[in-house]
Amino acid sequence: MKKILVTGGCGYIGSHTLLDLIDNGYEVISVDNNSRSSTRLLEGVEKITGKKIKNYKVDLCDFDDTHAIFAENDDIAGIIHFAAYKAVGESVEKPLLYYHNNLISLINLLKCVDEYQIPYFVFSSSCTVYGSPANIPVTEETPKQPAESPYGYTKQVGEDMITEFAKTSKTQFVLLRYFNPAGAHPSGLLGEYPFDRPQNLTPVITQTAIGKIPQLTVFGSDYNTRDGSCLRDFVHVCDLAHAHTLALNQLVAKKNKTNVEVFNLGTGEGITVLEAIKAFERVAGVSLNYTIGPRRPGDIMAIYANNDKAIRELDWKPRYSLDDIMATAWQWEQNLYSDEKMFSSGNFKLN
Ligand code: UD1
C-alpha cells in the first residue's frame, strides 16, 4: 500500500479525496492546522471507512514542523497538496496573507520533496489560472491571462514554481485545475463546512434555503450570457476527488507523458448562476429567496472546461449531474442543521 500525505485533509476537497484514496487501496495521512477547518470532516471519513486517520496539526508555513512529518514518515510515496486559503474576496483585501500562506507552504513542501525524494506530487490548482479567457471552453493549452485576484496569482505562481523545480527534480508532478467544486458525499457525512460566512455559490444557496442567510444576491444580470448571469462549470466534489486517485494511479503506472502533467477538471458544461438556482429549487422543492444585485468585483463573465484530456488520459468520467450536486449539497446542509439544533436544544449526548 502506498502512503499518501494529503495536506488540507480536514478541508472540503481534501476530506473527500482521503475517502476516495482509501477506497482505492491507498494508505493516507493528513496534515491540517485546522485554521480554517475542524476535524469534523476527518471524523466523517473515519465513520464511512471504519479507519482511523492520522492528522498532523501542523502549519506548513513552519518548515521545522513540516520537515518533522517527513522525518517521521520516511515511506511517503506521494503528496496531494490542497492546503491553501481560497477566498477570492479576502485575497483582494489581504494579498500578503495569501502570498505568505499559499506560497511559503508550497516552498516548504517542495524542499521536503527534494530532500526526501518523494516520487509523486499532485497540486490543487484552479481554473482561475486562465484569468479571463479569450475563448471558452478552455483547454490546458489556453494561454493564461493575468490573474483576477491575489488568490488566483498564488495558483499561477504555484504552478510556475513547480514547473521550474521539476526541471531538476526526479519527482513526477500533476497540476489539477478545478473548475467550480460543489455538492457533497451521498452519505450525508461529508460536505462543505465553511468556517465563516460562505462566499461560494452552492453553500450560499443551501444556507439561504435553510434560513442561515436571509437572502441570496445574484451578482450581476447584465453579462453577455444566455440569461445575463455568470456562467460556470460546477463539478461534483466526489468526481473531483476521484480524479486525484486517477492522477496518482497514472503516475504509479508510469503512464504520464511528461513530468508535469496538467488536467482541467470540469464537467465540460457551462451553467449559469440562475440555472444553478433553478436546479436547486427543483431538486430541493424549495423556493429560494434571491434578488439580483450588482456585479461582484473580480468575477469573470464565463468559463467552462474542455475536459477531453482528463477523460482520455486519466480515464476520468464525471458521474454526478447538476441535480446530484444540488441534492447532495442540500442533504448535507440539512444534516448540519439538525446537528446544530441538537446541540442548541441540549438533546445531543456524546457517547
Ligand atoms: C472562484 C475562483 C475559483 C476558486 C473558487 C474558490 C475565479 C475566477 N474563480 O470561483 O478558481 O476555486 O473561487 O473559492 O477566481 N455568486 C452569486 N452570489 C453569491 C455567490 C456567488 O451570484 O452569493 C456567483 C458569482 O458571481 C459567480 C458564481 O456565482 O458568478 C460562482 O461563484 P463562486 O462560487 O464564488 O466561485 P467562482 O468565483 O467562480
Side-chain angles (χ1 to χ4, degrees):
M1 270 219 284
K2 295 208 181 297
K3 189 191 272 187
I4 307 300
L5 172 66
V6 174
T7 79
C10 299
Y12 176 42
I13 311 174
S15 58
H16 286 79
T17 301
L18 284 174
L19 179 60
D20 200 85
L21 289 169
I22 294 169
D23 279 350
N24 286 281
Y26 286 96
E27 186 188 342
V28 295
I29 52 173
S30 161
V31 48
D32 195 312
N33 65 353
N34 295 138
S35 68
R36 296 193 168 188
S37 63
S38 73
T39 52
R40 180 188 174 120
L41 299 183
L42 204 66
E43 285 153 17
V45 178
E46 290 181 337
K47 214 173 197 171
I48 296 167
T49 60
K51 291 210 161 94
K52 190 97 196 102
I53 298 161
K54 169 84 187 155
N55 180 59
Y56 290 88
K57 203 168 170 192
V58 158
D59 182 349
L60 295 171
C61 291
D62 183 316
F63 179 75
D64 292 340
D65 287 353
T66 304
H67 187 265
I69 301 172
F70 289 84
E72 197 178 308
N73 297 274
D74 61 359
D75 54 347
I76 294 173
I79 299 172
I80 304 184
H81 180 40
F82 292 103
Y85 291 162
K86 62 155 197 169
V88 175
E90 183 189 44
S91 80
V92 175
E93 282 161 30
K94 301 175 185 166
L96 294 182
L97 178 73
Y98 275 68
Y99 298 148
H100 180 88
N101 185 66
N102 292 4
L103 298 177
I104 302 293
S105 54
L106 176 59
I107 292 168
N108 284 344
L109 271 179
L110 291 177
K111 283 184 182 168
C112 295
V113 164
D114 200 25
E115 181 179 336
Y116 287 87
Q117 294 290 298
I118 306 297
Y120 315 122
F121 191 100
V122 179
F123 178 62
S124 269
S125 189
S126 164
C127 69
T128 195
V129 298
Y130 297 112
S132 200
N135 294 304
I136 48 173
V138 289
T139 73
E140 290 78 358
E141 266 66 57
T142 297
K144 293 178 189 172
Q145 304 295 330
E148 299 282 330
S149 68
Y151 157 76
Y153 187 59
T154 66
K155 293 297 174 188
Q156 290 184 337
V157 174
E159 287 198 357
D160 289 349
M161 283 195 323
I162 287 172
T163 306
E164 204 55 42
F165 172 65
K167 290 180 182 165
T168 57
S169 163
K170 290 202 185 75
T171 302
Q172 306 296 302
F173 292 92
V174 179
L175 314 177
L176 297 179
R177 293 178 181 160
Y178 314 147
F179 282 68
N180 286 63
H185 191 263
S187 64
L189 294 169
L190 295 180
E192 192 162 4
Y193 198 50
F195 87 107
D196 207 351
R197 194 185 190 284
Q199 309 294 326
N200 294 122
L201 182 64
T202 311
V204 172
I205 289 177
T206 57
Q207 288 202 9
T208 305
I210 209 103
K212 277 189 194 165
I213 296 176
Q215 189 178 50
L216 180 153
T217 303
V218 174
F219 298 134
S221 62
D222 56 352
Y223 286 101
N224 186 19
T225 58
R226 50 184 177 255
D227 60 19
S229 63
C230 289
L231 183 133
R232 293 291 185 272
D233 186 336
F234 298 94
V235 53
H236 195 280
V237 65
C238 292
D239 283 327
L240 208 56
H242 189 53
H244 294 75
T245 304
L246 294 175
L248 271 178
N249 289 350
Q250 191 207 43
L251 298 181
V252 172
K254 297 193 187 328
K255 288 196 173 146
N256 50 318
K257 293 184 180 146
T258 65
N259 64 343
V260 187
E261 290 281 4
V262 184
F263 294 102
N264 281 343
L265 296 179
T267 61
E269 200 188 340
I271 303 288
T272 69
V273 171
L274 288 170
E275 287 165 352
I277 290 172
K278 283 187 194 106
F280 175 81
E281 291 187 315
R282 191 180 60 249
V283 167
V286 173
S287 166
L288 210 62
N289 180 14
Y290 69 89
T291 182
I292 308 289
R295 294 180 178 197
R296 182 171 70 175
D299 270 346
I300 60 168
M301 177 174 71
I303 191 162
Y304 68 102
N306 175 318
N307 60 8
D308 290 352
K309 189 177 175 210
I311 289 173
R312 193 176 60 241
E313 295 182 20
L314 295 180
D315 204 17
W316 183 61
K317 222 175 254 121
R319 294 183 306 135
Y320 293 86
S321 66
L322 181 65
D323 283 6
D324 297 333
I325 286 176
M326 294 304 170
T328 52
W330 182 226
Q331 171 179 253
W332 167 248
E333 189 67 66
Q334 288 172 299
N335 288 353
L336 280 179
Y337 181 72
S338 38
D339 285 4
E340 282 159 18
K341 254 189 24 196
M342 282 236 270
F343 274 113
S344 60
S345 67
N347 285 335
F348 183 80
K349 301 230 174 349
L350 282 172
N351 46 30

